[in-house]
Amino acid sequence: MKLSSLAALSRRIIIATAFTVAASSSFAAYPDKPIKMLIGYAPGSSTDIVGRMVAQDLSLLLKQPIIVENRGGAAGSIAADAVAKATPDGYTILFAQNGLAINVAANPKLPFNGMKDLIPVVGVSATPHILIVNNNSPIKNVAELLADLRANPGKRSFASSGISNSDHMAGELFLSLTNTQAIHVPYKGGSPAATDVLGGQIDFYFAGMPVGYPLYKADKVRALAVTSKHRFSGTPELPTILESGVTEYDMALWQGVFVPAGTPKDVMSTLTAGVLKVLDTPEMKDRFIKAGVQIAPLNQARFSDLYFSDITRWKRVMEKSNIKLD
């Protein structure tokens, strides 16, 4: 082979090797720029509170800023749609709750495919809602609430952080299983919903724990029960709604991280490992306890199972209980 040909071949090998190394180094360096975390709920909502706690510690671990952006509206679907259509490179992620699964189950006209366009990456928490009323309310327990609803059909009101959100469905499930009626009043977030319970404008609210728990602990509201199958460790004195006589009632608010379909596996693995690591620190566990949140770390496989099974569950519940979203 001529010297010129050997030189040309060497240059091609060097260029190809350099390209491979550069691509590998760039990929291995994830993240090498700020990450945007979209949350589909208002600041001060349960999902916003937990998402920001995770973002803060994950940012320190990954050594890159994680910019939290609230894009509320349409029960979290605006933020979910934006992430579903984002570049799948790990730099736009979604922090969502089971309202996403409920919305996918209930609304076939979403602008994205909830079964295909978003990938569950890691589960963070699974916490019951807390049923609260105003401190001046005559209602002291679930039995009294049911008696009042039956004596005043369609005259009492319950709040939610938005139509088809988890707290909305907690209320709808309660009414359906007890054959009672109440007026649903949706808000743009859990914090304003709870504020109107405090002010006496709303009769009851299945608040997310990060919103309702601090108010209950500060004696600003009266808590009647929690929505999970078993009592919540942060409020062992409160009965479950199931214990209170509402057969088959079981509802928890789970939260976790999603990415657009097509995101590289190594990027998803980095996010999963990072979130699981920050959840396992004493500092994070302490902050979650103080916020009234139950840490429930799930790897990608287990979180995917939870997400897709929840979609199936809510389709079945809505059909069986004839729940109609507003």
Side-chain angles (χ1 to χ4, degrees):
M1 186 178 288
K2 293 182 180 180
L3 186 60
S4 59
S5 297
L6 285 171
L9 178 62
S10 296
R11 283 197 298 272
R12 287 198 296 271
I13 292 173
I14 290 170
I15 291 170
T17 303
F19 177 81
T20 302
V21 171
S24 176
S25 298
S26 174
F27 189 72
Y30 173 84
D32 61 3
K33 63 181 181 180
I35 297 169
K36 182 185 292 184
M37 175 188 281
L38 269 60
I39 298 177
Y41 305 93
S45 64
S46 299
T47 305
D48 176 70
I49 291 168
V50 177
R52 287 178 183 275
M53 286 196 292
V54 172
Q56 178 182 332
D57 284 24
L58 186 61
S59 174
L60 296 174
L61 180 68
L62 298 180
K63 297 182 172 58
Q64 287 293 339
I66 297 182
I67 302 164
V68 176
E69 182 178 324
N70 297 88
R71 290 197 192 178
S77 293
I78 292 174
D81 183 47
V83 174
K85 295 172 180 173
T87 302
D89 55 7
Y91 290 100
T92 303
I93 64 177
L94 176 70
F95 192 80
Q97 45 125 299
N98 57 342
L100 175 61
I102 293 166
N103 221 7
V104 171
N107 188 356
K109 296 182 180 180
L110 291 174
F112 62 94
N113 187 325
M115 302 287 286
K116 297 179 179 179
D117 296 340
L118 291 168
I119 300 177
V121 172
V122 57
V124 169
S125 64
T127 310
H129 293 272
I130 182 169
L131 174 55
I132 60 173
V133 298
N134 186 280
N135 271 336
N136 295 322
S137 169
I139 306 299
K140 301 293 194 302
N141 52 51
V142 172
E144 291 183 2
L145 175 61
L146 287 173
D148 183 67
L149 290 173
R150 286 168 179 146
N152 301 279
K155 295 181 180 180
R156 303 305 186 212
S157 59
F158 77 101
S160 80
S161 60
I163 293 172
S164 85
N165 283 345
S166 185
D167 51 3
H168 174 203
M169 296 311 295
E172 292 286 2
L173 184 61
F174 179 79
L175 296 175
S176 177
L177 292 176
T178 57
N179 295 311
T180 54
Q181 299 174 12
I183 301 168
H184 171 224
V185 183
Y187 289 78
K188 293 182 178 179
S191 184
T195 296
D196 275 5
V197 175
L198 267 70
Q201 290 89 353
I202 293 293
D203 293 306
F204 62 101
Y205 176 35
F206 289 85
M209 276 289 179
V211 171
Y213 179 83
L215 296 175
Y216 164 60
K217 286 297 184 181
D219 292 324
K220 293 183 178 181
V221 296
R222 179 182 302 133
L224 308 184
V226 296
T227 63
S228 49
K229 191 173 186 178
H230 304 287
R231 293 196 182 200
F232 177 54
S233 60
T235 58
E237 71 280 7
L238 291 180
T240 67
I241 291 177
L242 186 64
E243 281 181 88
S244 303
V246 183
T247 306
E248 297 183 8
Y249 194 98
D250 181 17
M251 180 78 181
L253 171 69
W254 57 252
Q255 296 162 322
V257 176
F258 292 74
V259 296
T263 300
K265 290 183 180 179
D266 284 10
V267 171
M268 291 191 288
S269 295
T270 297
L271 287 169
T272 299
V275 172
L276 292 177
K277 187 170 183 178
V278 300
L279 291 178
D280 198 37
T281 63
E283 295 80 12
M284 182 65 87
K285 290 177 180 178
D286 183 60
R287 291 211 300 274
F288 268 55
I289 290 171
K290 289 179 179 177
V293 178
Q294 183 71 52
I295 288 181
L298 296 176
N299 62 25
Q300 188 172 1
R302 294 177 64 198
F303 188 44
S304 292
D305 287 344
L306 173 64
Y307 173 63
F308 291 113
S309 65
D310 220 31
I311 293 173
T312 301
R313 175 204 181 203
W314 279 107
K315 283 182 178 178
R316 186 170 59 247
V317 167
M318 289 175 191
E319 290 171 359
K320 179 181 177 181
S321 302
N322 197 30
I323 294 174
K324 304 293 185 182
L325 300 184
D326 303 51

